[in-house]
Amino acid sequence: RAFRDAQKRIAADHVDLTAILNSLEEAEEHRINARTGVMTRVEKNLESSGAGFGIGSMIRSLADKSRAKAKEQQREARTGEHLPTLTSGSMDNLVTGLGNGERVAQVDALTILGAATVMLMDEPSVCDITVPPKGKCIVVGDLHGQLDDLLHLFKTFGQPSEKMTWIFNGDLVDRGDHACEIVLLIFALKLKHPKHVFVNRGNHEEPHINIYSGFEEECTAKYDHRVFQMFHAAFVWLPYACLVNGKTLVLHGGLPRDETVSIKDIRDIARGPD
């Protein structure tokens, strides 16, 4: 009886702690979202004044350069000519190295981000995923820079393969200390397994939020601001949702409030820079 009473107290404490953490997270989201309008007005004023160094203009410039070579790069991406060599051994080395605290070199980070951007440009706004009867689909949401959690999941379930599809459901970055490593690892896996790794866009894949939540600071501490811009040049092409076996819709943040919205409406939402 004493043991059961102790279990009940622990369970109650866990529920209370979860409620507190959820309240703190919601409060932080509201605080950041309240500043989005201010940041948007600042961005527009910078661009209208000819300053030319706003985040939006930098991302658009990078995206315009990508689009200028899009057809050629997409052809190369489909044939594998443009992608970095990512064998099973190199992926294992990347996972092991990140687990040991190593950092992806900047030249490799830029290569992965550039190749991933090209691949994401060729994907639809809603990705249709077919999981075979004996296959598995793992959905992971809100990693928020917690690399140890991601590595634990790979150790528990296995890395992506023909029988193991992974959907990363947004909010890869901010808050945690290893958001760069998480995105680079997931994008590398996407390049190696394009039909078995999918990444939905969350609200934290947005530059204004990253300024307040830590990702920009992490990027500039580990690399430079050009890498931060390259991350967002890729983020703007992330799909909004995945449809698994025509039955299960996976998207970040929940369903639209308007009940008349259909999957086709989501498919028709344009991606890329504004």
Side-chain angles (χ1 to χ4, degrees):
R1 185 176 63 190
F3 176 72
R4 289 194 296 269
D5 289 343
Q7 281 187 313
K8 291 179 181 178
R9 287 196 298 273
I10 293 172
D13 289 343
H14 179 73
V15 170
D16 291 341
L17 178 59
T18 300
I20 292 171
L21 293 175
N22 285 337
S23 296
L24 290 172
E25 182 174 349
E26 290 176 3
E28 181 188 13
E29 293 287 346
H30 287 308
R31 177 178 61 83
I32 293 170
N33 290 336
R35 294 175 173 175
T36 301
V38 175
M39 291 299 298
T40 301
R41 290 194 295 274
V42 170
E43 178 71 20
K44 290 181 178 179
N45 289 335
L46 286 173
E47 292 179 359
S48 63
S49 66
F53 54 83
I55 291 173
S57 60
M58 290 187 289
I59 293 173
R60 280 191 289 276
S61 176
L62 286 167
D64 288 341
K65 292 178 182 178
S66 297
R67 272 202 298 269
K69 298 182 179 180
K71 290 184 179 179
E72 177 185 354
Q73 289 177 326
Q74 286 171 359
R75 177 188 61 78
E76 293 174 345
R78 283 191 288 270
T79 59
E81 297 171 7
H82 183 70
L83 303 182
T85 302
L86 294 169
T87 63
S88 297
S90 64
M91 287 305 309
D92 290 340
N93 290 336
L94 177 58
V95 171
T96 301
L98 293 178
N100 292 331
E102 296 177 9
R103 185 177 299 171
V104 179
Q106 178 157 327
V107 62
D108 294 330
L110 291 172
T111 300
I112 291 172
L113 290 170
T117 301
V118 172
M119 181 171 285
L120 292 168
M121 289 170 67
D122 210 23
E123 288 197 335
S125 293
V126 177
C127 295
D128 291 283
I129 303 173
T130 300
V131 179
K134 295 184 179 180
K136 292 184 178 180
C137 182
I138 308 295
V139 181
V140 183
D142 296 68
L143 282 166
H144 280 302
Q146 301 297 333
L147 179 63
D148 289 341
D149 290 351
L150 178 59
L151 298 180
H152 174 73
L153 291 171
F154 285 151
K155 185 177 180 180
T156 301
F157 297 104
Q159 292 187 26
S161 66
E162 292 183 1
K163 296 182 179 180
M164 181 78 69
T165 299
W166 286 75
I167 301 174
F168 297 95
N169 195 26
D171 281 13
L172 307 179
V173 303
D174 288 330
R175 297 179 182 156
D177 296 328
H178 298 94
C180 291
E181 289 80 4
I182 281 181
V183 177
L184 292 172
L185 175 55
I186 291 175
F187 279 1
L189 288 167
K190 174 68 176 175
L191 293 170
K192 188 175 187 300
H193 304 281
K195 300 301 182 183
H196 302 287
V197 175
F198 297 89
V199 189
N200 290 336
R201 187 175 184 181
N203 60 305
H204 278 263
E205 279 69 60
E206 213 283 335
H208 296 157
I209 293 179
N210 297 154
I211 291 174
Y212 291 107
S213 298
F215 184 53
E216 182 192 34
E217 184 178 356
E218 178 186 339
C219 284
T220 54
K222 294 178 178 178
Y223 301 108
D224 56 30
H225 211 273
R226 178 178 54 153
V227 176
F228 177 71
Q229 297 162 31
M230 284 296 294
F231 273 109
H232 280 284
F235 288 167
V236 295
W237 291 105
L238 288 174
Y240 299 121
C242 294
L243 185 62
V244 183
N245 288 348
K247 296 180 179 180
T248 305
L249 183 66
V250 181
L251 73 167
H252 185 84
L255 296 171
R257 294 182 180 180
D258 185 350
E259 296 181 359
T260 65
V261 173
S262 67
I263 295 177
K264 182 182 181 302
D265 294 322
I266 303 176
R267 293 185 192 276
D268 291 341
I269 299 175
R271 294 173 299 134
D274 296 333

